[in-house]
Amino acid sequence: MSTRPRFDRGHTDDLMSFLAASPSPYHAVASAAERLEKAGFRQVEETDAWEAASGGKYVLRGGAIIAWYVPEGAAAHTPFRIVGAHTDSPNLRVKPLPDAGAHGWRQVAVEIYGGPLLNSWLDRDLGLAGRLTLRDGSTRLVNVDRPLLRVPQLAIHMDRSVHTEGLKLDKQKHMQPIWGLGDDVREGDLIRFVEEECGLAPGEATGWDLMTHSVEPPAYLGRDRELLAGPRMDNLLSVHAGTAALAAVATAPGADALPYIPVLAAFDHEENGSQSDTGADGPLLGGVLERSVFARGGGYEDKARAFAGTVCLSSDTGHAVHPNYAERHDPTHHPRANRGPILKVNVNNRYATDGGGRAVFAAACEKAGVPFQSFVSNNAMPCGTTIGPITAARHGIKTVDIGVAILSMHSARELCGVDDPPMLADALRAFLEG
């Protein structure tokens, strides 16, 4: 058992603050960067020449962040220990021409992002968040964190078939939120409103990446407050745990004697395939790791040696056994809340874990003094996937898929045990220490 200070429910309190402050991937990386700055990390620009200096550094690109700590005297071929995660969550995103409406209702045209549980977005008070790109090329974060939009459900009196055939939602026709009254569609109205919220002059924003979010805050749930309900746990729970673990490792006594370079890699666009310049299937992580090697005087041989000794824990949420649908789970693998992080296995490589990877994770959990569970999908059910297989294939590094077991994945509001986030952070910290 570990004798190091453990993360506790104060970590879960901070996770709640992190979730509330991060309604978009752009806010999530800003929140992570703020925590890393307090731990002594400093941002480096991709357009600048990188120095060989030791210490904590991070790169921001859109909704992605790569952060790493270089111990004093680290050799160019020093391997990396990477915690991988993603910053995006399924939601409703504003279209390029957002102003819409019909029959006296003013609406906002949205596109479905990822694979949300559409019914969870009905009759829920929604805010609007994201970023604006201004005429000079700079960006501005925006967060209208109050009831602004709502996707109204059809009354039962007008759809009696719901009881016999279930709720059927057309993504184009039924998911457009309302935000006011009026018979005329006013072109440019929504963006003018957002500009005003940001203190900008009309027409100053020429690009936007905006999305909806539930304004209901995260909350402890249950008689004994042993559950946590909140938005975007898939996968900001892992981003937060990875950030906390990296900050703890970098500020601990003996950080400059670490045998590995600890890294946090939080990508965007996992929910729609990871194929972007900020996704796990893009060049961002490989480029940052290579430049770190080269900045320390290394060459191709050093990079190859470093990558050969590197391990990545791909941390994403998984499925706790559902008490109302237990038959959907594998009969011998029933992950439960507050029983520790999960090791995710799929022999068809939907997850990247193999026996060697299991041993790495088991050692980290043993060092951290936390239990872990195993997750395998029911053979009759299709298995989801993560950034794990992508990271392993793209960079040729050993990757292990792990996470925290939750309920209601891809809902506007998800559920986990309150002790699992700090146990995950403990395991990630032990892994990064090597």
Side-chain angles (χ1 to χ4, degrees):
M1 296 287 288
S2 172
T3 59
R4 294 183 290 97
R6 298 278 294 272
F7 290 105
D8 55 22
R9 288 203 179 178
H11 174 89
T12 306
D13 291 336
D14 190 62
L15 170 62
M16 295 169 72
S17 299
F18 186 83
L19 293 172
S22 307
S24 78
Y26 317 111
H27 289 83
V29 298
S31 297
E34 180 182 8
R35 285 163 169 76
L36 291 171
E37 287 272 350
K38 291 178 180 178
F41 284 69
R42 294 295 177 262
Q43 183 176 2
V44 294
E45 298 292 341
E46 291 185 83
T47 52
D48 291 342
W50 290 5
E51 299 176 349
S54 60
K57 313 160 197 267
Y58 67 90
V59 165
L60 293 180
R61 185 192 290 184
I65 181 170
I66 310 293
W68 66 103
Y69 180 84
V70 179
E72 185 73 34
H77 60 267
T78 302
F80 302 92
R81 282 279 173 119
I82 305 168
V83 171
H86 68 89
T87 61
D88 59 320
S89 302
N91 56 18
L92 312 177
R93 302 208 171 185
V94 174
K95 289 183 176 180
L97 301 176
D99 303 293
H103 308 291
W105 298 99
R106 294 172 63 196
Q107 295 175 279
V108 174
V110 296
E111 190 172 7
I112 309 300
Y113 179 83
L117 287 170
L118 295 178
N119 62 291
S120 71
W121 291 87
L122 302 178
D123 297 329
R124 191 179 292 274
D125 297 337
L126 305 175
L128 195 65
R131 67 178 179 181
L132 300 177
T133 302
L134 310 186
R135 289 186 177 277
D136 62 2
S138 64
T139 58
R140 182 78 61 89
L141 294 182
V142 57
N143 182 12
V144 185
D145 195 30
R146 63 178 186 273
L148 180 69
L149 306 159
R150 188 180 180 91
V151 183
Q153 190 167 190
L154 184 64
I156 187 65
H157 313 80
M158 298 181 180
D159 187 11
R160 300 287 186 181
S161 66
V162 166
H163 289 312
T164 57
E165 300 177 15
L167 179 64
K168 297 179 180 179
L169 295 171
D170 184 293
K171 293 180 180 179
Q172 179 61 38
K173 295 192 295 184
H174 299 154
M175 297 305 298
Q176 307 306 309
I178 62 173
W179 76 308
L181 300 173
D183 290 313
D184 58 327
V185 175
R186 306 171 190 174
E187 185 177 350
D189 202 22
L190 179 70
I191 300 306
R192 281 192 293 270
F193 164 78
V194 175
E195 287 173 327
E196 184 178 345
E197 288 287 311
C198 291
L200 299 172
E204 197 168 346
T206 56
W208 49 86
D209 301 279
L210 301 172
M211 59 204 71
T212 60
H213 67 276
S214 171
V215 298
E216 185 180 3
Y220 288 114
L221 184 145
R223 183 193 66 180
D224 299 320
R225 292 164 57 88
E226 58 192 347
L227 298 171
L228 174 63
R232 299 177 296 281
M233 291 187 189
D234 179 14
N235 184 34
L236 294 189
L237 188 159
S238 294
V239 175
H240 176 259
T243 302
L246 178 59
V249 168
T251 56
D256 283 327
L258 289 169
Y260 301 98
I261 295 175
V263 180
L264 169 68
F267 302 100
D268 201 353
H269 302 131
E270 188 273 346
E271 297 293 356
N272 60 13
S274 295
Q275 291 186 322
S276 71
D277 69 323
T278 53
D281 203 18
L284 181 58
L285 176 61
V288 168
L289 299 184
E290 287 179 357
R291 292 186 67 179
S292 175
V293 170
F294 298 158
R296 283 176 280 121
Y300 178 83
E301 185 70 14
D302 296 292
K303 174 211 160 181
R305 293 175 65 189
F307 277 41
T310 292
V311 183
C312 172
L313 290 189
S314 164
S315 182
D316 204 344
T317 53
H319 303 291
V321 61
H322 197 302
N324 300 336
Y325 301 90
E327 72 281 1
R328 303 293 182 96
H329 297 260
D330 182 86
T332 59
H333 294 78
H334 281 179
R336 298 169 64 177
N338 286 340
R339 298 292 182 90
I342 57 174
L343 178 76
K344 302 158 77 171
V345 178
N346 179 264
V347 295
N348 294 300
N349 285 333
R350 300 292 286 173
Y351 302 132
T353 306
D354 63 8
R358 186 188 192 280
V360 170
F361 185 59
C365 289
E366 182 178 6
K367 179 180 179 181
V370 302
F372 74 93
Q373 311 174 80
S374 294
F375 171 82
V376 178
S377 288
N378 186 308
N379 284 333
M381 305 289 292
C383 180
T385 190
T386 68
I387 66 166
I390 294 171
T391 303
R394 182 170 183 82
H395 305 294
I397 59 179
K398 177 177 285 295
T399 304
V400 190
D401 273 296
I402 65 160
V404 161
I406 69 171
L407 292 181
S408 306
M409 188 185 294
H410 285 202
S411 173
R413 198 166 177 85
E414 297 159 326
L415 185 71
C416 77
V418 297
D419 294 326
D420 286 325
M423 283 194 281
L424 174 65
D426 276 325
L428 295 182
R429 176 179 177 178
F431 165 74
L432 291 177
E433 288 174 341

